[in-house]
Amino acid sequence: MKRILAMLLAVLMLVPVLASCTDDETPDTPDTDPATDTKVEDTTVPEETGLTLAKTDFGGTNLRVLGVSEEYNYGYYQTGDIWIETEQADPFERSVYIRLQDCINKYNFGVEYTSSTSPINDVASLVSGGLDQYDVVFSQWNQIWQGARGGNLLDLREIESIDLNNSWWDQNANTQLSIANRMFYTTGDITTVDDRCARALYFNKTLAAAHDMESPYELVRNNQWTLEKFAEMCRMVYDDVNGDGNTDIDDVLGFFRESGQFNYLMTAMDEHYSELDENGLPVYTFMQDAEGVTKMETVSNLLIDEKVSYNIHNLTDFGGYSNRFAYARSKFAAGKQLFTIGGALVITEFADMEDAFGILPMPKWNTDQSRYFHIIDTPCPMMGIPNTKADATDVGYMLEYFSYEGQQTISPTFKDRMLKRRYAQDSDSGDMLDIIYANKCFDLGFVANWGGILSIADGAILAGRLPKTNQYNRLTKSMPKLIDKDYTAFANVGTDAE
């Protein structure tokens, strides 16, 4: 179902800008209840900015945006930070409003926002009919990938008014999402959804302390946070609570087993499905050496160890929750898991957790690994421009300023005030969040899922057995053809060969 929300410029121009009053220090623990904190804190819309556009007045036009609605996937991936109707007391919602207000005051353009459960499919229909209804689309990564491949989006690198090298565009995304040296969609400070979708670790500090574990924070700082340490900790907490000799949802475990975890951990250990060569061609890189096979076997053995994890896909009763994943996270909040893998989009579910919790980067394979990696969920919305624009110059200018203002107002509010100060329970978690967001990973092979590669390990592990290496070996032989087909499709978008 679509919700069409129009910003009325004439009305908003009359709304006064609030004066500023911000805190100078960040407390180690929240000083308010996240569920009830409605205290108004003033924020100023800056009179001068660090970005000056070549065009200074857009004549009261609206940037027409199509985003992901709250009806999609329980609302986890909605693009709710693009538009808001009125100013709110909540600091984050207020920052969304202030960005809109600043676009009006500085460059005289507003935002007209529409949402849908599958925005790129709506755009594809409009493109085929030659209808110019939206200037910008945010759609799920695993869908916008296909929409771009089908010629429904413009190449952002060909729009001169967009400079993807600017710091408000995610440079990891711009490097890793390019294909055939073309860029049809990206992300950055224009939205916080990609920050919410970076897979990281939550850990139960109370449970860790009860077992006299080393501080995971210190392990990170000393470059000792590895899969070996992670596995060691997971194996320390097992408790058959009901004494029936079977692993179940009420036992205390290292974590609960669910689909996708194999891929999150393999990515974290610098084992990627694809990397780009110098020509922008994705190259299949997964498990191409003995170390890759060892990683696969080590992760798989950990995931199927019933003294470490319980398979939540065996659940038929979700305990009153809308889905098995939310139910499993409620058990983490109840002290039944040492770790749970998730993005910041679920942190509010732990707001009333009795035990103390912290946030960690995903573990490295070993201490020789140079950096961390945090895969982005494939439903994460990415931004593109529909291929219905004869001239996207003005749209590019507006997107530059909209993203710049996101960097100045929305991103700091989300990361510093909401995550680090409202929900994170210690300053260490704030430091860990900085590591996580600096090391986001956008693997084309992960979203393209060539040859159904993602299901090989998931299917085996959820059945309680090890994946077979010969299945990966067979795919290795067919991968070049599968990849070349997509590469050619992207290279030909907008050409006579399309």
Side-chain angles (χ1 to χ4, degrees), residues 183-234:
M183 195 76 187
F184 292 96
Y185 55 89
T186 192
T187 187
D189 290 302
I190 197 166
T191 179
T192 61
V193 180
D194 58 311
D195 293 325
R196 299 169 191 264
C197 290
R199 287 280 175 167
L201 283 173
Y202 295 92
F203 80 104
N204 186 313
K205 294 169 61 178
T206 304
L207 195 56
H211 289 80
D212 296 320
M213 294 181 185
E214 296 176 80
S215 165
Y217 297 136
E218 290 307 308
L219 290 171
V220 172
R221 292 189 175 101
N222 295 325
N223 193 36
Q224 299 295 315
W225 183 231
T226 63
L227 185 73
E228 182 179 6
K229 285 291 185 182
F230 172 71
E232 176 187 313
M233 291 179 173
C234 287

Side-chain angles (χ1 to χ4, degrees), residues 17 50 105 115 126 186 192 203 248 273 336-337 370 398 400 420 427 447 473:
V17 179
N105 291 338
S115 62
L126 294 169
T186 192
T192 61
F203 80 104
D248 57 49
Y273 288 102
K336 298 294 186 180
Q337 303 172 67
S370 62
M398 287 187 279
E400 281 286 309
K420 294 182 181 181
S427 58
V447 73
N473 293 337

